Amino acid sequence: MNFKDYIRVIHDFPQPGIRFKDITTLLQNGEVYRGAIDELKKLVEAMNIDVIAGPEARGFVIGAPLSYALGVGFVPIRKSGKLPADAIEASYSLEYGKDKLAMHRDAIKPGQRVLIADDLLATGGTIQTSLNLIEQLGGVVAGAAFLIELNYLNGREKLGDMDIVSLVQY
Ligand SMILES: O=P(O)(O)OC[C@H]1O[C@H](OP(=O)(O)OP(=O)(O)O)[C@H](O)[C@@H]1O
Ligand SMILES: Nc1ncnc2[nH]cnc12
């Protein structure tokens, strides 16, 4: 399946100069969406993970079905101010702005092997911050899985020797 054919590129959104990779056109096709999750499942199966963590909002769309397919739990990494119980937070910057991410303090048990799942790796800021939060909670990041990787932003380099898989590269 050529997943790239189902991703729409929108120029100058949300800011001039950004080529936005819109996955809504892939998600609306049930066969292709399922195909992408099945493919990611194959790529991460050997990582021996206990739980998947996905950053809001598009990380939920990839992380939750992947959790279901693997039969492991799902932990939401949310934007600041959304989680109801005791949480930790960290600030970060991304290709087109700045934000704050948060996780419940009891979301990860010490020693658990965590896979971070998201739709897209750009500068790596979101994943680096997710890693930081997961490690503060005592988790071990086993790897990261994406639909899309933007090679021209070198996010992979920022993430050191993390085991990273992606289905489509630009
Ligand atoms: O590698 P980075 O430079 O950090 O960029 C990648 C992140 O940017 C997008 O999320 P965004 O923060 O736009 O939020 P959304 O999922 O709510 O649209 C995307 O879904 C990734 O999470
Ligand atoms: N170019 C891009 N397209 C879609 N999502 C993004 N998140 C960060 N950069 C992005």
Side-chain angles (χ1 to χ4, degrees):
M1 223 174 250
N2 192 358
F3 298 112
K4 206 179 232 183
D5 290 347
Y6 296 89
I7 297 163
R8 177 165 61 182
V9 181
I10 310 279
H11 288 251
D12 300 322
F13 180 88
Q15 287 172 12
I18 302 289
R19 283 163 284 161
F20 192 89
K21 310 302 181 295
D22 176 20
I23 62 163
T24 62
T25 37
L26 182 150
L27 301 175
Q28 72 198 31
N29 183 318
E31 196 185 334
V32 180
Y33 186 13
R34 179 186 272 174
I37 298 301
D38 288 348
E39 201 58 38
L40 286 174
K41 181 186 174 201
K42 281 189 214 148
L43 294 174
V44 303
E45 245 158 3
M47 291 181 188
N48 201 16
I49 59 168
D50 299 309
V51 67
I52 294 178
E56 180 176 352
R58 285 174 267 156
F60 298 176
V61 174
I62 304 303
L66 193 53
S67 287
Y68 179 83
L70 289 165
V72 301
F74 178 75
V75 169
I77 303 175
R78 296 219 58 180
K79 305 248 158 98
S80 181
K82 295 283 184 180
L83 288 171
D86 189 21
I88 58 169
E89 291 195 346
S91 299
Y92 68 108
S93 56
L94 70 168
E95 198 186 359
Y96 42 70
K98 272 186 140 192
D99 223 322
K100 235 184 200 182
L101 290 176
M103 291 178 78
H104 273 149
R105 213 176 275 282
D106 60 2
I108 304 283
K109 294 180 185 60
Q112 271 191 320
R113 288 177 61 79
V114 184
L115 175 78
I116 304 173
D118 204 351
D119 70 324
L120 180 144
L121 175 63
T123 65
T126 303
I127 299 309
Q128 203 173 37
T129 306
S130 302
L131 169 87
N132 176 317
L133 290 169
I134 291 163
E135 287 186 343
Q136 277 189 60
L137 298 177
V140 176
V141 174
F146 305 92
L147 269 188
I148 303 167
E149 182 172 352
L150 303 184
N151 289 336
Y152 54 89
L153 291 173
N154 304 316
R156 195 178 267 263
E157 281 166 27
K158 195 183 272 179
L159 301 174
D161 58 2
M162 190 188 291
D163 197 353
I164 296 167
V165 299
S166 61
L167 298 185
V168 173
Q169 295 79 32
Y170 291 87

